Amino acid sequence: MFAWSVPDNVGFAVSTRDGGVSLPPFNSLNLGDHVDDDPRAVAENRRRVQALFAMPGQPVWLEQVHGTDVVTLPLNPLEVHANRADASYTKLPGQVCAVMTADCLPILLCDRQGTEVAAVHAGWRGLCNGVIEAALQKFLAPACDIQALIGPAIGPTAFEVGAEVREAFVIADIAADKAFLPASPGKYFGNLEMLAHQRLVAAGITDIHCTSECTYTLSEKYFSYRKSPKTGRFASFIWLKN
């Protein structure tokens, strides 16, 4: 577990790929039910991770679409596709926010008083289009009272992208240029962690903890889609204790 200092009534966790029952290539604690793994294995893995981290309830699993929608928990059970979003927010104890990743950025947020939390899934599209900012808009607390954890994601030496990705970020903020280094002709190495850090600081958040773990180079610890497209998902969780 990462040493992130949060209020006593805030719980958080980041899983790895160890400790589950899924068979290769999903071995072993795959939490994604959309990757063609055995549904029974995924259900058991989800049960295990809830028990492992002593969560107060079942995590609310999102149907992530690389967008900027943020849902407030608890979800409306009558709403169709109520969980189709890339971030969740709550101010109710017992509701567990969760995002699944396998190279994309997981970002956990809470206020210093321990009354609000959110989990954000930020692939490059969602990050560029403002999923962090959309999640922060849910908070009642001012930005100066919000803490952020940037979790494990593909690192700056492994995330090679086309010029169009760099251009999209630089158009939005010229400072994003610092997060891209030339790679092969017409390609750049992008630093997702730096890009997220820039966005958080621009929003007024200064209490930011970066894990700086690369899912690609640590693919035996975390799932990495770029390393192996047929793979599982690990997850990042945050909740208010009962």
PDB file of all heavy atoms in Angstrom, residues 59-80:
ATOM      1  N   PRO A  59     -17.606  -2.376  -4.109  1.00  0.00           N
ATOM      2  CA  PRO A  59     -17.227  -1.259  -4.977  1.00  0.00           C
ATOM      3  C   PRO A  59     -18.267  -1.070  -6.077  1.00  0.00           C
ATOM      4  O   PRO A  59     -18.892  -2.033  -6.527  1.00  0.00           O
ATOM      5  CB  PRO A  59     -15.883  -1.707  -5.568  1.00  0.00           C
ATOM      6  CG  PRO A  59     -15.363  -2.730  -4.618  1.00  0.00           C
ATOM      7  CD  PRO A  59     -16.567  -3.430  -4.074  1.00  0.00           C
ATOM      8  N   VAL A  60     -18.453   0.158  -6.491  1.00  0.00           N
ATOM      9  CA  VAL A  60     -19.346   0.449  -7.607  1.00  0.00           C
ATOM     10  C   VAL A  60     -18.492   0.442  -8.875  1.00  0.00           C
ATOM     11  O   VAL A  60     -17.682   1.346  -9.105  1.00  0.00           O
ATOM     12  CB  VAL A  60     -20.055   1.800  -7.427  1.00  0.00           C
ATOM     13  CG1 VAL A  60     -20.932   2.106  -8.641  1.00  0.00           C
ATOM     14  CG2 VAL A  60     -20.900   1.784  -6.153  1.00  0.00           C
ATOM     15  N   TRP A  61     -18.657  -0.590  -9.677  1.00  0.00           N
ATOM     16  CA  TRP A  61     -17.848  -0.777 -10.876  1.00  0.00           C
ATOM     17  C   TRP A  61     -18.443   0.016 -12.030  1.00  0.00           C
ATOM     18  O   TRP A  61     -19.624  -0.132 -12.352  1.00  0.00           O
ATOM     19  CB  TRP A  61     -17.764  -2.262 -11.243  1.00  0.00           C
ATOM     20  CG  TRP A  61     -17.221  -3.091 -10.126  1.00  0.00           C
ATOM     21  CD1 TRP A  61     -17.923  -3.858  -9.245  1.00  0.00           C
ATOM     22  CD2 TRP A  61     -15.847  -3.209  -9.746  1.00  0.00           C
ATOM     23  NE1 TRP A  61     -17.076  -4.461  -8.343  1.00  0.00           N
ATOM     24  CE2 TRP A  61     -15.794  -4.083  -8.629  1.00  0.00           C
ATOM     25  CE3 TRP A  61     -14.651  -2.683 -10.247  1.00  0.00           C
ATOM     26  CZ2 TRP A  61     -14.603  -4.429  -8.004  1.00  0.00           C
ATOM     27  CZ3 TRP A  61     -13.463  -3.033  -9.628  1.00  0.00           C
ATOM     28  CH2 TRP A  61     -13.438  -3.894  -8.523  1.00  0.00           C
ATOM     29  N   LEU A  62     -17.634   0.847 -12.647  1.00  0.00           N
ATOM     30  CA  LEU A  62     -18.091   1.689 -13.738  1.00  0.00           C
ATOM     31  C   LEU A  62     -17.899   1.008 -15.088  1.00  0.00           C
ATOM     32  O   LEU A  62     -17.010   0.190 -15.266  1.00  0.00           O
ATOM     33  CB  LEU A  62     -17.323   3.017 -13.745  1.00  0.00           C
ATOM     34  CG  LEU A  62     -17.400   3.864 -12.484  1.00  0.00           C
ATOM     35  CD1 LEU A  62     -16.519   5.114 -12.642  1.00  0.00           C
ATOM     36  CD2 LEU A  62     -18.841   4.257 -12.169  1.00  0.00           C
ATOM     37  N   GLU A  63     -18.734   1.386 -16.041  1.00  0.00           N
ATOM     38  CA  GLU A  63     -18.513   1.037 -17.445  1.00  0.00           C
ATOM     39  C   GLU A  63     -17.734   2.197 -18.051  1.00  0.00           C
ATOM     40  O   GLU A  63     -18.305   3.201 -18.462  1.00  0.00           O
ATOM     41  CB  GLU A  63     -19.838   0.837 -18.171  1.00  0.00           C
ATOM     42  CG  GLU A  63     -19.670   0.445 -19.630  1.00  0.00           C
ATOM     43  CD  GLU A  63     -20.984   0.393 -20.383  1.00  0.00           C
ATOM     44  OE1 GLU A  63     -22.055   0.357 -19.739  1.00  0.00           O
ATOM     45  OE2 GLU A  63     -20.936   0.415 -21.628  1.00  0.00           O
ATOM     46  N   GLN A  64     -16.430   2.082 -18.062  1.00  0.00           N
ATOM     47  CA  GLN A  64     -15.553   3.191 -18.445  1.00  0.00           C
ATOM     48  C   GLN A  64     -15.460   3.305 -19.967  1.00  0.00           C
ATOM     49  O   GLN A  64     -15.282   2.318 -20.677  1.00  0.00           O
ATOM     50  CB  GLN A  64     -14.179   2.987 -17.817  1.00  0.00           C
ATOM     51  CG  GLN A  64     -14.241   2.959 -16.282  1.00  0.00           C
ATOM     52  CD  GLN A  64     -12.977   2.438 -15.614  1.00  0.00           C
ATOM     53  OE1 GLN A  64     -12.932   2.231 -14.415  1.00  0.00           O
ATOM     54  NE2 GLN A  64     -11.922   2.213 -16.382  1.00  0.00           N
ATOM     55  N   VAL A  65     -15.566   4.544 -20.461  1.00  0.00           N
ATOM     56  CA  VAL A  65     -15.637   4.765 -21.910  1.00  0.00           C
ATOM     57  C   VAL A  65     -14.642   5.818 -22.393  1.00  0.00           C
ATOM     58  O   VAL A  65     -14.766   6.333 -23.491  1.00  0.00           O
ATOM     59  CB  VAL A  65     -17.071   5.149 -22.330  1.00  0.00           C
ATOM     60  CG1 VAL A  65     -18.023   3.993 -22.116  1.00  0.00           C
ATOM     61  CG2 VAL A  65     -17.552   6.397 -21.583  1.00  0.00           C
ATOM     62  N   HIS A  66     -13.661   6.157 -21.569  1.00  0.00           N
ATOM     63  CA  HIS A  66     -12.655   7.167 -21.924  1.00  0.00           C
ATOM     64  C   HIS A  66     -13.292   8.534 -22.187  1.00  0.00           C
ATOM     65  O   HIS A  66     -12.869   9.280 -23.068  1.00  0.00           O
ATOM     66  CB  HIS A  66     -11.828   6.720 -23.138  1.00  0.00           C
ATOM     67  CG  HIS A  66     -10.965   5.532 -22.859  1.00  0.00           C
ATOM     68  ND1 HIS A  66      -9.685   5.641 -22.368  1.00  0.00           N
ATOM     69  CD2 HIS A  66     -11.220   4.200 -22.979  1.00  0.00           C
ATOM     70  CE1 HIS A  66      -9.176   4.421 -22.209  1.00  0.00           C
ATOM     71  NE2 HIS A  66     -10.087   3.543 -22.558  1.00  0.00           N
ATOM     72  N   GLY A  67     -14.299   8.850 -21.382  1.00  0.00           N
ATOM     73  CA  GLY A  67     -14.974  10.141 -21.484  1.00  0.00           C
ATOM     74  C   GLY A  67     -14.706  11.011 -20.276  1.00  0.00           C
ATOM     75  O   GLY A  67     -13.702  10.827 -19.578  1.00  0.00           O
ATOM     76  N   THR A  68     -15.629  11.925 -20.010  1.00  0.00           N
ATOM     77  CA  THR A  68     -15.453  12.864 -18.894  1.00  0.00           C
ATOM     78  C   THR A  68     -16.648  12.870 -17.936  1.00  0.00           C
ATOM     79  O   THR A  68     -16.721  13.721 -17.056  1.00  0.00           O
ATOM     80  CB  THR A  68     -15.231  14.296 -19.423  1.00  0.00           C
ATOM     81  OG1 THR A  68     -16.366  14.703 -20.187  1.00  0.00           O
ATOM     82  CG2 THR A  68     -13.977  14.376 -20.286  1.00  0.00           C
ATOM     83  N   ASP A  69     -17.563  11.932 -18.091  1.00  0.00           N
ATOM     84  CA  ASP A  69     -18.732  11.897 -17.211  1.00  0.00           C
ATOM     85  C   ASP A  69     -18.337  11.413 -15.816  1.00  0.00           C
ATOM     86  O   ASP A  69     -17.522  10.495 -15.671  1.00  0.00           O
ATOM     87  CB  ASP A  69     -19.820  10.992 -17.779  1.00  0.00           C
ATOM     88  CG  ASP A  69     -20.528  11.611 -18.970  1.00  0.00           C
ATOM     89  OD1 ASP A  69     -20.407  12.841 -19.152  1.00  0.00           O
ATOM     90  OD2 ASP A  69     -21.196  10.874 -19.721  1.00  0.00           O
ATOM     91  N   VAL A  70     -18.960  12.039 -14.815  1.00  0.00           N
ATOM     92  CA  VAL A  70     -18.722  11.692 -13.411  1.00  0.00           C
ATOM     93  C   VAL A  70     -20.071  11.390 -12.768  1.00  0.00           C
ATOM     94  O   VAL A  70     -21.004  12.181 -12.892  1.00  0.00           O
ATOM     95  CB  VAL A  70     -18.053  12.855 -12.652  1.00  0.00           C
ATOM     96  CG1 VAL A  70     -17.717  12.440 -11.225  1.00  0.00           C
ATOM     97  CG2 VAL A  70     -16.808  13.337 -13.384  1.00  0.00           C
ATOM     98  N   VAL A  71     -20.187  10.246 -12.114  1.00  0.00           N
ATOM     99  CA  VAL A  71     -21.438   9.897 -11.450  1.00  0.00           C
ATOM    100  C   VAL A  71     -21.299  10.087  -9.946  1.00  0.00           C
ATOM    101  O   VAL A  71     -20.210   9.960  -9.392  1.00  0.00           O
ATOM    102  CB  VAL A  71     -21.869   8.452 -11.756  1.00  0.00           C
ATOM    103  CG1 VAL A  71     -22.211   8.302 -13.234  1.00  0.00           C
ATOM    104  CG2 VAL A  71     -20.791   7.452 -11.360  1.00  0.00           C
ATOM    105  N   THR A  72     -22.419  10.387  -9.320  1.00  0.00           N
ATOM    106  CA  THR A  72     -22.468  10.524  -7.865  1.00  0.00           C
ATOM    107  C   THR A  72     -23.062   9.256  -7.273  1.00  0.00           C
ATOM    108  O   THR A  72     -24.102   8.775  -7.729  1.00  0.00           O
ATOM    109  CB  THR A  72     -23.315  11.738  -7.461  1.00  0.00           C
ATOM    110  OG1 THR A  72     -22.722  12.931  -7.989  1.00  0.00           O
ATOM    111  CG2 THR A  72     -23.416  11.856  -5.952  1.00  0.00           C
ATOM    112  N   LEU A  73     -22.389   8.695  -6.280  1.00  0.00           N
ATOM    113  CA  LEU A  73     -22.873   7.494  -5.609  1.00  0.00           C
ATOM    114  C   LEU A  73     -23.691   7.857  -4.384  1.00  0.00           C
ATOM    115  O   LEU A  73     -23.364   8.827  -3.698  1.00  0.00           O
ATOM    116  CB  LEU A  73     -21.676   6.615  -5.197  1.00  0.00           C
ATOM    117  CG  LEU A  73     -20.691   6.240  -6.309  1.00  0.00           C
ATOM    118  CD1 LEU A  73     -19.634   5.287  -5.758  1.00  0.00           C
ATOM    119  CD2 LEU A  73     -21.381   5.647  -7.510  1.00  0.00           C
ATOM    120  N   PRO A  74     -24.766   7.088  -4.111  1.00  0.00           N
ATOM    121  CA  PRO A  74     -25.170   5.864  -4.806  1.00  0.00           C
ATOM    122  C   PRO A  74     -25.830   6.159  -6.145  1.00  0.00           C
ATOM    123  O   PRO A  74     -26.418   7.222  -6.343  1.00  0.00           O
ATOM    124  CB  PRO A  74     -26.158   5.227  -3.827  1.00  0.00           C
ATOM    125  CG  PRO A  74     -26.746   6.389  -3.096  1.00  0.00           C
ATOM    126  CD  PRO A  74     -25.634   7.381  -2.940  1.00  0.00           C
ATOM    127  N   LEU A  75     -25.722   5.194  -7.044  1.00  0.00           N
ATOM    128  CA  LEU A  75     -26.343   5.326  -8.354  1.00  0.00           C
ATOM    129  C   LEU A  75     -27.850   5.171  -8.253  1.00  0.00           C
ATOM    130  O   LEU A  75     -28.370   4.535  -7.326  1.00  0.00           O
ATOM    131  CB  LEU A  75     -25.789   4.264  -9.307  1.00  0.00           C
ATOM    132  CG  LEU A  75     -24.295   4.298  -9.610  1.00  0.00           C
ATOM    133  CD1 LEU A  75     -23.918   3.125 -10.502  1.00  0.00           C
ATOM    134  CD2 LEU A  75     -23.904   5.613 -10.276  1.00  0.00           C
ATOM    135  N   ASN A  76     -28.530   5.744  -9.225  1.00  0.00           N
ATOM    136  CA  ASN A  76     -29.976   5.566  -9.334  1.00  0.00           C
ATOM    137  C   ASN A  76     -30.249   4.211  -9.989  1.00  0.00           C
ATOM    138  O   ASN A  76     -29.931   4.022 -11.159  1.00  0.00           O
ATOM    139  CB  ASN A  76     -30.571   6.692 -10.175  1.00  0.00           C
ATOM    140  CG  ASN A  76     -32.076   6.576 -10.322  1.00  0.00           C
ATOM    141  OD1 ASN A  76     -32.692   5.584  -9.902  1.00  0.00           O
ATOM    142  ND2 ASN A  76     -32.690   7.578 -10.913  1.00  0.00           N
ATOM    143  N   PRO A  77     -30.826   3.247  -9.263  1.00  0.00           N
ATOM    144  CA  PRO A  77     -31.018   1.898  -9.825  1.00  0.00           C
ATOM    145  C   PRO A  77     -32.002   1.870 -10.986  1.00  0.00           C
ATOM    146  O   PRO A  77     -32.045   0.890 -11.746  1.00  0.00           O
ATOM    147  CB  PRO A  77     -31.539   1.097  -8.630  1.00  0.00           C
ATOM    148  CG  PRO A  77     -32.172   2.108  -7.734  1.00  0.00           C
ATOM    149  CD  PRO A  77     -31.347   3.356  -7.889  1.00  0.00           C
ATOM    150  N   LEU A  78     -32.786   2.919 -11.150  1.00  0.00           N
ATOM    151  CA  LEU A  78     -33.775   2.958 -12.231  1.00  0.00           C
ATOM    152  C   LEU A  78     -33.213   3.578 -13.506  1.00  0.00           C
ATOM    153  O   LEU A  78     -33.857   3.535 -14.552  1.00  0.00           O
ATOM    154  CB  LEU A  78     -35.009   3.749 -11.787  1.00  0.00           C
ATOM    155  CG  LEU A  78     -35.745   3.208 -10.555  1.00  0.00           C
ATOM    156  CD1 LEU A  78     -36.947   4.096 -10.216  1.00  0.00           C
ATOM    157  CD2 LEU A  78     -36.190   1.764 -10.779  1.00  0.00           C
ATOM    158  N   GLU A  79     -32.020   4.143 -13.414  1.00  0.00           N
ATOM    159  CA  GLU A  79     -31.434   4.810 -14.573  1.00  0.00           C
ATOM    160  C   GLU A  79     -30.652   3.814 -15.422  1.00  0.00           C
ATOM    161  O   GLU A  79     -29.770   3.106 -14.937  1.00  0.00           O
ATOM    162  CB  GLU A  79     -30.507   5.938 -14.118  1.00  0.00           C
ATOM    163  CG  GLU A  79     -29.934   6.751 -15.270  1.00  0.00           C
ATOM    164  CD  GLU A  79     -29.038   7.870 -14.795  1.00  0.00           C
ATOM    165  OE1 GLU A  79     -29.093   8.201 -13.591  1.00  0.00           O
ATOM    166  OE2 GLU A  79     -28.278   8.401 -15.621  1.00  0.00           O
ATOM    167  N   VAL A  80     -30.977   3.766 -16.717  1.00  0.00           N
ATOM    168  CA  VAL A  80     -30.288   2.877 -17.633  1.00  0.00           C
ATOM    169  C   VAL A  80     -28.849   3.355 -17.832  1.00  0.00           C
ATOM    170  O   VAL A  80     -28.600   4.547 -18.000  1.00  0.00           O
ATOM    171  CB  VAL A  80     -31.015   2.817 -18.990  1.00  0.00           C
ATOM    172  CG1 VAL A  80     -30.261   1.914 -19.971  1.00  0.00           C
ATOM    173  CG2 VAL A  80     -32.443   2.324 -18.806  1.00  0.00           C
TER     174      VAL A  80
END
